Amino acid sequence: SQTIHQWPATLVQPVGSPLSLECTVEGTSNPNLYWYRQAAGRGLQLLFYSIGIDQISSEVPQNLSASRPQDRQFILSSKKLLLSDSGFYLCAWSDKGSQQNTEAFFGQGTRLTVV
Amino acid sequence: AQRVTQPEKLLSVFKGAPVELKCNYSYSGSPELFWYVQYSRQRLQLLLRHISRESIKGFTADLNKGETSFHLKKPFAQEEDSAMYYCALSGLSFNKFYFGSGTKLNVKP
C-alpha cells in the first residue's frame, strides 16, 4: 500500500535561517506531488505541485521554493525564513489515474514556527 | 480563476440535528468536487467525491452546477462528526486540488 512520510513534525527556526522540509512517498511511481500551507482561517493554500522529476510549478509568489530530485521525493526550501513563513505545511500526492480514482493523500504535516 | 468558498468558519449543532456545510465554487469548466475531513490529531483525508455519488458516514453532497454549489449534508449529526471539513475541487487535468478555507463542525451532546 502507498504511504507518505513527512518530516520533521515540528520545527522552530530563527528568522533568516534556511529551511528544508522533506516528503517521500512509497508504494507508487510517478505520482503528482504537492506542498500546501494550512493557515488558521485561510484554509489550505496550494504552494507547489509537481507532475514529475524537476517539473515544478509554483502557485503563489513567495519566499519558498520546491524541488523534486527523485520521483517520490519532494522538498520545500527557503534560503532565509521570514516570520510570515510560520504555518502548518502539508505534503500530498495523487495518482495520475482515471477520473474516478482522483484523490489527494496527505502527510501528517510540519508545524513551522519562525521566531 | 478557480475558487472554493466555505462561508462558515464554525458550525455548532446538537447531536441528532441536521447539518449542512456550505461550499460554493467558481471554475471555468467542469470541475471535480470533493469533501475532505480532518479529525483531531489525524491527517486530512477524503470524505467523499461527487463523481462517486456515494454516502459516507451518513454524509451526502450534491453537485448543483446551476448554483455552483456542493453542500455537505447529514440528516442526524453525531458527536464523532466533530472535525474540520474542507471542500475542494480539481480541474480536468486532475493535477491540482484547490481547497476552501474550511468549516469547523462542532456537534454538542
Side-chain angles (χ1 to χ4, degrees):
Chain A
S1 64
Q2 303 92 351
T3 56
I4 178 169
H5 302 282
Q6 188 181 339
W7 68 94
T10 60
L11 189 60
V12 180
Q13 291 284 96
V15 169
S17 65
L19 172 74
S20 181
L21 302 181
E22 190 160 343
C23 172
T24 59
V25 181
E26 296 177 358
T28 187
S29 60
N30 195 27
N32 296 318
L33 295 173
Y34 313 84
W35 278 111
Y36 286 87
R37 178 164 50 205
Q38 190 177 28
R42 298 177 63 181
L44 282 164
Q45 182 183 33
L46 178 61
L47 302 177
F48 300 95
Y49 77 100
S50 170
I51 60 172
I53 294 175
D54 295 330
Q55 295 178 279
I56 308 214
S57 297
S58 173
E59 282 290 298
V60 293
Q62 57 201 305
N63 184 43
L64 302 167
S65 62
S67 60
R68 185 171 177 174
Q70 300 180 45
D71 181 45
R72 290 169 290 176
Q73 183 185 28
F74 207 24
I75 299 172
L76 185 68
S77 304
S78 174
K79 292 182 179 178
K80 290 185 178 182
L81 282 169
L82 306 172
L83 287 173
S84 57
D85 292 324
S86 293
F88 192 61
Y89 291 85
L90 286 166
C91 181
W93 72 274
S94 72
D95 267 330
K96 297 184 179 66
S98 66
Q99 187 176 355
Q100 283 74 15
N101 292 330
T102 304
E103 179 180 347
F105 298 90
F106 285 85
Q108 289 278 37
T110 296
R111 173 75 59 192
L112 171 66
T113 304
V114 182
V115 296
Chain B
Q2 61 287 324
R3 174 174 285 189
V4 180
T5 302
Q6 293 179 253
E8 305 138 328
K9 287 188 182 346
L10 173 65
L11 186 61
S12 288
V13 301
F14 285 101
K15 176 183 173 181
V19 63
E20 181 180 50
L21 287 77
K22 290 184 169 48
C23 173
N24 289 89
Y25 68 90
S26 63
Y27 187 77
S28 55
S30 296
E32 300 304 318
L33 274 298
F34 309 83
W35 277 98
Y36 279 77
V37 61
Q38 189 170 29
Y39 301 103
S40 178
R41 298 189 188 86
Q42 294 187 28
R43 63 181 69 190
L44 191 63
Q45 58 187 290
L46 179 69
L47 179 62
L48 55 81
R49 69 192 90 192
H50 95 269
I51 196 168
S52 300
R53 300 185 185 279
E54 57 201 346
S55 174
I56 303 294
K57 299 183 178 182
F59 284 98
T60 59
D62 291 320
L63 178 60
N64 186 321
K65 292 185 178 181
E67 296 181 359
T68 60
S69 68
F70 189 56
H71 304 326
L72 183 68
K73 301 177 184 179
K74 185 169 182 176
F76 307 103
Q78 303 299 315
E79 290 181 69
E80 55 265 30
D81 295 329
S82 295
M84 193 75 177
Y85 291 81
Y86 291 93
C87 182
L89 71 77
S90 70
L92 284 175
S93 66
F94 311 118
N95 280 337
K96 293 186 281 188
F97 294 82
Y98 295 96
F99 287 79
S101 55
T103 297
K104 185 173 182 179
L105 176 63
N106 180 32
V107 182
K108 298 176 283 188

